[in-house]
Amino acid sequence: MKILDSEQAAAFKAFVDSHEAFLIAGHKDPDGDCVASSLTAAALLKALDKECVLLNSGPFKRPEVRQFEGEFTNQVPFLSEQDQKKCGLVIVDCSEISRLGDIGQSLKGFDTFIIDHHKTAETPKGAQSIIDSTSPAAVCLLTMLYEKLVGKPDPQTAKIMFLGLSTDTGFFRFLREDSAEVFELTARLVRYGANPNKIYNHITGGKPYSTRKLLGLLLSKTERYCNGKLAITYESMEDTKNYGQEGRDSDALYSALLSVEGVEAVVFLRQETDTSCTGGFRSLDDVDVSTVAAKFGGGGHKNASGMSVDGKIATLIPQIVKEFSRIL
């Protein structure tokens, strides 16, 4: 992770100073990093005496973020043309308007600043940005901005920052030997008041029993391809109806499959509607799943990416296997 420099902080501060109020938006189906980045951005703007509205299309399915749903709205407030010019848009944990979901179309035309860490980020024309694909979480960038522009965060804000960082790093197990700066930032968050034990229990505990049933079902459906290097499983609409209404535990699924000897990449597909699917991609070491996700209009990180695409699981699996056969 690169250390946020004074020039980047100054650019964001100039953007803040040039507007009276702000909309803060993150990607649909938010995870811990998206929610934490949004809340940290709000805390930063409020500390700088700016008003803001937190936006997210939802749904807030993940247990670790469900408690924060009430902080957000999925309705973009109506603004006159004059008021819109005074209002800035801050997009966190993604760069594409399309990834914002239903609220995205209403957010075109705002003066925009993007704070993101995804490798495949594509910023809208005219938007300013701080994008660092070496950062393990977008909230790391927001935390450094907060420290540079405001100073020490209060304990509650530090806990939220730690939550976002720990969810996107798999509670630090995804980090490698070049992560000293991340652990230094983590140590600061603990000094500010974050409790690693309580946050770990919050992230990993409280799972509905149905998620255990769903996990077993998904493991039983898993098939291996590319000489055993690729594992693919899927969730049908019927599976979602029976077991997936109360949240999921995709992280446990990925961990279980990536621990299998010989498996280097995992794909988890979900049939969201009769004509559309979402997909999650995870990998080990040098397997860059973002290149495969990009083939289907998605993207993300080298070892963790996602997509949302038209189609059915039965026809998507052969296409995905074909793309993975090029890199495995």
Side-chain angles (χ1 to χ4, degrees):
M1 181 181 72
K2 301 173 185 175
I3 301 299
L4 193 80
D5 59 42
S6 298
E7 185 176 336
Q8 291 171 307
F12 183 73
K13 182 60 163 58
F15 177 79
V16 172
D17 290 341
S18 65
H19 300 87
E20 295 181 3
F22 295 86
L23 302 175
I24 301 170
H27 60 77
K28 62 182 180 180
D29 190 13
D31 56 9
D33 185 27
C34 178
V35 168
S37 295
S38 298
L39 293 170
T40 300
L44 170 56
L45 291 170
K46 289 174 183 177
L48 297 174
D49 296 321
K50 299 291 183 177
E51 296 182 358
C52 59
V53 174
L54 285 162
L55 299 169
N56 198 285
S57 293
F60 287 72
K61 295 180 181 178
R62 305 166 197 258
E64 65 270 18
V65 303
R66 197 172 295 145
Q67 71 181 86
F68 302 107
E69 183 174 4
E71 303 286 334
F72 295 79
T73 177
N74 59 7
Q75 299 294 320
V76 178
F78 173 78
L79 297 172
S80 67
E81 184 176 348
Q82 184 177 4
D83 287 338
Q84 182 171 331
K85 291 179 180 178
K86 299 176 183 178
C87 185
L89 171 63
V90 179
I91 299 177
V92 298
D93 199 32
C94 74
S95 299
E96 301 85 358
I97 292 289
S98 61
R99 291 197 63 209
L100 300 180
D102 292 340
I103 62 174
Q105 290 300 315
S106 300
L107 294 176
K108 293 182 178 180
F110 283 89
D111 191 16
T112 303
F113 202 107
I114 292 169
I115 302 172
D116 190 18
H117 70 130
H118 291 97
K119 181 178 178 180
T120 53
E122 295 181 6
T123 61
K125 184 178 180 180
Q128 299 182 67
S129 64
I130 296 174
I131 299 176
D132 178 11
S133 62
T134 69
S135 177
V139 77
C140 290
L141 304 174
L142 270 301
T143 298
M144 289 186 286
L145 271 177
Y146 192 104
E147 290 176 316
K148 282 185 175 293
L149 299 179
V150 179
K152 175 182 174 181
D154 62 81
Q156 182 57 33
T157 302
K159 293 173 186 176
I160 290 170
M161 293 168 170
F162 194 104
L163 173 68
L165 172 58
S166 55
T167 53
D168 246 30
T169 60
F171 217 83
F172 310 105
R173 70 182 186 275
F174 301 148
L175 299 180
R176 301 182 181 182
E177 67 276 3
D178 58 351
S179 303
E181 292 83 2
V182 181
F183 283 103
E184 289 168 0
L185 183 149
T186 304
R188 296 199 300 274
L189 293 178
V190 174
R191 285 196 293 270
Y192 297 151
N195 184 316
N197 175 260
K198 288 185 177 180
I199 294 172
Y200 178 81
N201 289 336
H202 171 72
I203 293 170
T204 60
K207 307 292 187 185
Y209 177 67
S210 60
T211 66
R212 307 300 93 181
K213 300 283 285 186
L214 180 59
L215 178 60
L217 179 62
L218 296 177
L219 289 172
S220 71
K221 288 185 174 184
T222 305
E223 297 291 343
R224 297 173 70 179
Y225 304 86
C226 301
N227 296 318
K229 295 180 181 180
L230 172 65
I232 299 181
T233 189
Y234 62 90
E235 179 181 324
S236 69
M237 293 173 65
E238 186 68 18
D239 297 334
T240 303
K241 178 182 177 181
N242 291 335
Y243 303 112
Q245 300 292 333
E246 296 184 81
R248 301 176 178 88
D249 191 8
S250 301
D251 187 57
L253 174 67
Y254 294 129
S255 295
L257 292 177
L258 285 173
S259 68
V260 175
E261 182 179 9
V263 171
E264 298 179 13
V266 172
V267 176
F268 170 35
L269 297 174
R270 182 183 300 121
Q271 192 76 48
E272 299 287 357
T273 70
D274 288 332
T275 58
S276 67
C277 292
T278 56
F281 300 73
R282 298 293 186 273
S283 66
L284 301 173
D285 302 324
D286 295 327
V287 179
D288 189 351
V289 292
S290 70
T291 62
V292 178
K295 295 287 187 179
F296 297 90
H301 307 291
K302 177 180 177 181
N303 300 121
S305 293
M307 69 173 188
S308 181
V309 64
D310 292 335
K312 291 183 178 292
I313 288 172
T315 54
L316 280 171
I317 288 178
Q319 299 173 35
I320 291 170
V321 172
K322 180 179 178 181
E323 293 301 329
F324 268 101
S325 68
R326 304 177 193 275
I327 63 174
L328 290 177

